[in-house]
Amino acid sequence: TGNVFAQSKDWKEKSIENKEERMQWWKNDRFGMFIHWGLYALPARHEWVQQREQIDHDTYKKKYFDLFNPDLYHPEEWAAAAKEAGMKYVVLTAKHHEGFCLWDTKTSDFNAAKTPYGKDLIKPFVEACRKNDLKIGFYFSVIDWYHPDFLIDNTHPLRNSKDARSKNKDKNMDVFRKYLKDQLRELLSNYGKIDLLFWDFSYPGEDGKGHQDWDSEGLVKMARTLQPNIIMNDRLDLGSDAWGWDYKTPEQFMPQTSPTVNGVKVPWETCQTFSGSWGYHRDENTWKSSNQLIAMLIEVVSKGGNLLLNVGPTARGNFDDRAMERLQEMGKWMRLNSKAIYGCTEAPAGFNKPDNSMLTYNPKTNRLYVHLLQYPFKTLYLPGFKGKVKYAQFLHDNSEIKYSSRSSAKDGEHMTITAGENDLIVDLPVVKPDVQ
Ligand code: FHN
């Protein structure tokens, strides 16, 4: 197929060379949707329900697989909701730890096409994403509670790695490694261009060689060979080897500063839930407010990262009202302020932000954005601006209020912050209290 990896002598070198280019869209887009969907949506109380409640496979199959028939599954609605929220890429769990495959795989009957639903779920999903200009990512679990040869199951007290090998010596991790590769080959060969892989997750093990159990290196090589420009996260435990991952993934966590490897800042994305659970959870009441989610997005970008915000569709296949409400609110904010998110990153050193505010900065346009997280009842001091910034734009109500320097700022003028300026006083006019 003429791709760089199959031909190149050293695919690892090529993948390092190619990294900056393949990461461009991701660094620009900043905001994506995670979707956790599987049989666990039926019990509707967490995607780890099978493991947490030690539900044996036959029971799990009878109660959930045999009833799976998502009559409200319309992926074009999912894609439209993501797009309207201002999200630019969508990552769907093709297979989570339960081992249930959303695609019509030849590797296992434990898949959507063998349920009462009777069809492949991935094909219409990728088509809907492409129609909405969304980049496509697959989440792929290397943990697989369904597969009998998955022996290194530290997540399953009855099948932990020490006992498993002795008790199941006839089993064979080679079978499991081949199974993973056969599944990955289907996902990366049968659905057109796939932009992103979210691996989840191998354990490094005491000797740090845990990734060999999965043949993580072989998985990465296959992915880069089948989809040369695919980007992938760091969850196959290949250490700091730059060919093995493209971005770091702090989970449900906000780093203080941009993560580093060997002292160098690296691309990173925090994946976050609305409510705590990744899978649909009917009774969870710890839902973050829309304002908290908007502030989270701003904070992530102000630290040079991406936000992958998760939705757990119901067993019938729709996004519930709680999720839709927040996505629509974020979309309203993004319609006015996405230029302070897309293509932005942390502000140059030396800018001291005002209280209760965050800074994002677009290096291409050299625009600094001051996000006010509280209504500005007082004159704002932006002390110590040293960087050369052409002008600041405060956006609200579809209009762009621009400021000239000093307090004579009037609507429509440009504020000029130039190098060497000591304190820049910005009098913000009294505007509607929803200014962000
Ligand atoms: O165990 C999974 C969990 O269910 C969820 O998929 C998250 C999402 O990043 N990943 C693992 C926990 O880190």
Side-chain angles (χ1 to χ4, degrees):
T1 55
N3 69 57
V4 289
F5 298 109
Q7 291 160 358
S8 74
K9 278 194 314 311
D10 185 340
W11 64 274
K12 293 177 184 175
E13 261 174 48
K14 283 285 178 194
S15 81
I16 293 172
E17 266 170 37
N18 176 273
K19 182 178 286 197
E20 195 53 40
E21 185 191 334
R22 68 172 175 264
M23 288 293 285
Q24 277 315 305
W25 70 264
W26 186 87
K27 286 181 177 173
N28 177 73
D29 291 354
R30 289 298 182 214
F31 189 24
M33 178 182 277
F34 214 168
I35 301 178
H36 274 70
W37 198 38
L39 299 179
Y40 42 80
L42 279 89
R45 50 185 185 270
H46 202 279
E47 78 283 354
W48 272 63
V49 65
Q50 184 181 10
Q51 199 272 351
R52 285 181 171 187
E53 300 177 13
Q54 291 293 290
I55 305 171
D56 67 80
H57 181 67
D58 292 343
T59 306
Y60 198 77
K61 185 177 177 303
K62 201 179 299 113
K63 286 177 75 173
Y64 308 129
F65 179 88
D66 293 349
L67 296 178
F68 184 74
N69 194 358
D71 60 321
L72 298 182
Y73 174 57
H74 304 296
E76 61 281 3
E77 290 175 3
W78 291 8
K83 185 171 186 176
E84 278 147 37
M87 295 158 157
K88 292 282 197 178
Y89 58 104
V90 185
V91 180
L92 171 63
T93 51
K95 181 189 76 167
H96 201 263
H97 308 335
E98 64 182 0
F100 175 67
C101 301
L102 268 56
W103 76 102
D104 184 7
T105 174
K106 294 186 173 29
T107 65
S108 149
D109 284 345
F110 198 45
N111 77 70
K114 300 290 185 295
T115 67
Y117 183 71
K119 288 178 286 187
D120 181 300
L121 294 161
I122 295 280
K123 189 166 182 302
F125 164 76
V126 298
E127 287 167 355
C129 288
R130 288 191 186 110
K131 221 164 83 182
N132 284 276
D133 303 321
L134 295 165
K135 290 281 194 296
I136 298 163
F138 289 148
Y139 166 112
F140 184 66
S141 176
V142 294
I143 290 173
D144 190 310
W145 298 327
Y146 168 71
H147 196 287
D149 290 305
F150 174 55
L151 301 184
I152 46 179
D153 190 356
N154 300 0
T155 64
H156 207 296
L158 304 180
R159 289 173 57 188
N160 70 51
S161 52
K162 291 184 194 59
D163 305 348
R165 288 188 178 80
S166 56
K167 283 193 193 126
N168 304 282
K169 55 185 174 303
D170 56 322
K171 305 282 184 191
N172 184 339
M173 271 299 286
D174 283 341
V175 172
F176 183 66
R177 280 185 282 269
K178 179 182 179 307
Y179 168 76
L180 287 184
K181 288 193 180 70
D182 289 347
Q183 292 195 329
L184 185 67
R185 189 177 298 107
E186 287 179 339
L187 284 172
L188 299 187
S189 307
N190 302 344
Y191 299 97
K193 186 174 185 306
I194 304 304
D195 304 287
L196 185 147
L197 256 181
F198 193 108
W199 304 110
D200 206 24
F201 58 86
S202 71
Y203 347 112
E206 298 79 38
D207 58 4
K209 296 202 175 73
H211 60 81
Q212 290 169 356
D213 283 326
W214 284 271
D215 184 17
S216 295
E217 180 168 328
L219 289 169
V220 170
K221 178 173 184 180
M222 174 183 278
R224 295 211 187 282
T225 301
L226 292 171
Q227 296 274 350
N229 290 316
I230 203 163
I231 65 173
M232 55 183 81
N233 71 6
D234 60 334
R235 295 193 175 186
L236 287 186
D237 281 307
L238 287 165
S240 56
D241 289 332
W243 51 265
W245 56 276
D246 293 314
Y247 61 94
K248 289 292 176 192
T249 53
E251 174 165 325
Q252 304 232 51
F253 166 69
M254 180 67 75
Q256 283 303 312
T257 56
S258 175
T260 59
V261 170
N262 303 329
V264 178
K265 287 183 177 176
V266 292
W268 65 279
E269 168 193 82
T270 180
C271 47
Q272 299 273 357
T273 59
F274 280 131
S275 61
S277 166
W278 295 97
Y280 177 66
H281 194 306
R282 186 187 303 107
D283 306 328
E284 231 165 12
N285 55 16
T286 53
W287 282 64
K288 300 171 185 77
S289 71
S290 302
N291 264 355
Q292 284 172 324
L293 294 162
I294 290 167
M296 181 195 282
L297 174 61
I298 297 167
E299 183 170 359
V300 169
V301 177
S302 77
K303 293 173 177 172
N306 282 34
L307 173 62
L308 188 65
L309 186 56
N310 181 77
V311 180
T314 70
R316 295 185 66 186
N318 63 309
F319 292 174
D320 77 349
D321 292 348
R322 299 169 298 181
M324 286 305 291
E325 187 188 306
R326 286 156 177 83
L327 290 170
Q328 286 155 0
E329 282 299 304
M330 293 186 87
K332 261 170 57 183
W333 185 86
M334 281 294 276
R335 268 189 290 288
L336 292 178
N337 300 290
S338 62
K339 61 171 66 171
I341 298 292
Y342 299 145
C344 289
T345 186
E346 50 196 319
F351 287 116
N352 303 314
K353 60 184 180 59
D355 294 345
N356 292 312
S357 77
M358 289 189 269
L359 303 180
T360 58
Y361 174 69
N362 186 321
K364 283 208 185 87
T365 59
N366 192 31
R367 275 178 177 70
L368 182 76
Y369 296 95
V370 183
H371 298 262
L372 308 177
L373 303 177
Q374 183 179 23
Y375 183 64
F377 285 102
K378 60 182 177 13
T379 298
L380 276 179
Y381 280 86
L382 305 179
F385 270 63
K386 294 193 188 69
K388 188 177 279 298
V389 173
K390 271 172 68 180
Y391 57 88
Q393 290 172 318
F394 293 84
L395 313 177
H396 84 104
D397 281 357
N398 278 324
S399 64
E400 291 195 356
I401 302 176
K402 301 183 180 91
Y403 290 89
S404 61
S405 62
R406 295 292 169 209
S407 58
S408 60
K410 289 194 197 62
D411 288 14
E413 289 177 4
H414 283 210
M415 170 171 75
T416 308
I417 307 172
T418 51
E421 187 112 33
N422 296 323
D423 287 352
L424 177 78
I425 300 170
V426 177
D427 281 334
L428 288 164
V430 178
V431 292
K432 277 196 213 150
D434 63 350
V435 69
Q436 292 287 345

